[in-house]
Amino acid sequence: MAGSGAARPAWASRRTGWARRWPARADPAAPRRGPANPRLSGDQRFSDLWTPLLADGLVHAEQGWTEEWWRGMSSGRYAMWIAGAWAPGSLSSTIPETAGSWRVAPIPQWEDGAATSAENGGSSVAVLGQSENTLAAIGFAQWLNSDPEAVRSLNRDAGLFPATTELLEDPEFLDEESELMGGQQANRVFAEASAAVAPGWQYLPIQVYANSVFGDSVGPALTGGIPIADGLAAWQEEIARYGEEQGFTVSTR
């Protein structure tokens, strides 16, 4: 997503990193106990791209979702936010005064003519084992994510990306003009991006831990302390150490 106006820095985060490395085929692992491979295979060119952007001040590494960050978003400090299709809902509810200033576009590509996309975030509905009405809860969860009107309500009222291809292909959904995007038919861009998600990506079976130590290893690189490649290498090493500690057979080759 991009704001209007002159050249300004973009904003980068851990989620931005996952979204950009996914098309680069930096696949971290197979999600099962046993062999795990946290080899960040596509991260060299990720590092080669983002290191000079950070050095030249074209990307600003800052903690997201803070008041300061939202002020930067609303003031026009950032020219671009690499985010998921849920982003318009967050922008509309938090900084509604920016309506009309945004446009949506596919994420930048590594190769000319490519049209590869990635996932960034997501939602789920879980039924706890302690539920007193498990079958009823499961039935509600299935209805919520499959009934045409329920799915449309989640998209329209909660800003969630459609859970069904039926809605994704609905002409009314595709032709909707976004006030936030200055009348752009943004859903068409989102639907095309959804169809172009690169297959084969798998998160680590210890992904929560990997996310939690990202700031300790890669964080200093984003603020200019060390090269990004060194930060990623340290992150991989710590992920591998923890994985072995948890009983996984870990390979980084």
Side-chain angles (χ1 to χ4, degrees):
M1 295 176 60
S4 58
R8 297 181 295 278
W11 174 79
S13 71
R14 184 184 71 235
R15 281 190 166 187
T16 300
W18 282 122
R20 295 299 295 125
R21 291 200 301 277
W22 189 323
R25 300 300 196 275
D27 185 357
R32 61 182 184 278
R33 185 164 293 277
N37 183 357
R39 180 174 61 94
L40 304 177
S41 58
D43 277 20
Q44 185 57 57
R45 63 176 176 177
F46 174 86
S47 177
D48 292 344
L49 172 67
W50 287 90
T51 296
L53 291 177
L54 285 163
D56 294 341
L58 298 175
V59 174
H60 185 214
E62 181 181 17
Q63 178 66 43
W65 308 99
T66 64
E67 289 188 12
E68 180 181 358
W69 181 75
W70 278 118
R71 282 196 295 269
M73 295 288 280
S74 64
S75 68
R77 180 180 190 180
Y78 302 120
M80 180 173 62
W81 178 25
I82 301 177
W86 43 262
S90 298
L91 293 169
S92 295
S93 61
T94 310
I95 47 176
E97 67 276 12
T98 64
S101 299
W102 297 91
R103 301 293 185 274
V104 63
I107 60 174
Q109 299 295 304
W110 293 102
E111 286 89 21
D112 289 340
T116 304
S117 189
E119 300 285 356
N120 188 340
S123 302
S124 64
V125 179
V127 177
L128 300 179
Q130 301 94 321
S131 173
E132 296 180 1
N133 300 287
T134 304
L135 292 179
I138 292 174
F140 175 77
Q142 292 176 332
W143 171 84
L144 185 65
N145 291 281
S146 61
D147 178 81
E149 187 52 39
V151 171
R152 186 176 295 277
S153 176
L154 287 175
N155 172 255
R156 180 184 61 240
D157 303 325
L160 300 184
F161 193 68
T164 64
T165 54
E166 179 182 5
L167 181 54
L168 270 177
E169 298 169 355
D170 187 326
E172 182 180 350
F173 170 79
L174 294 172
D175 293 339
E176 180 181 346
E177 297 182 356
S178 169
E179 180 181 353
L180 179 74
M181 306 293 176
Q184 180 187 13
Q185 293 178 329
N187 288 338
R188 288 192 173 275
V189 183
F190 294 142
E192 291 171 1
S194 178
V197 171
W201 174 276
Q202 295 176 310
Y203 282 106
L204 287 161
I206 51 172
Q207 190 65 52
V208 172
Y209 179 78
N211 289 350
S212 72
V213 297
F214 179 88
D216 299 331
S217 50
V218 186
L222 297 180
T223 56
I226 60 174
I228 289 181
D230 293 348
L232 291 170
W235 189 33
Q236 176 175 281
E237 182 179 347
E238 175 56 23
I239 292 171
R241 182 203 65 78
Y242 182 79
E244 291 177 346
E245 186 179 271
Q246 297 302 306
F248 290 92
T249 301
V250 181
S251 171
T252 57
R253 296 189 300 274

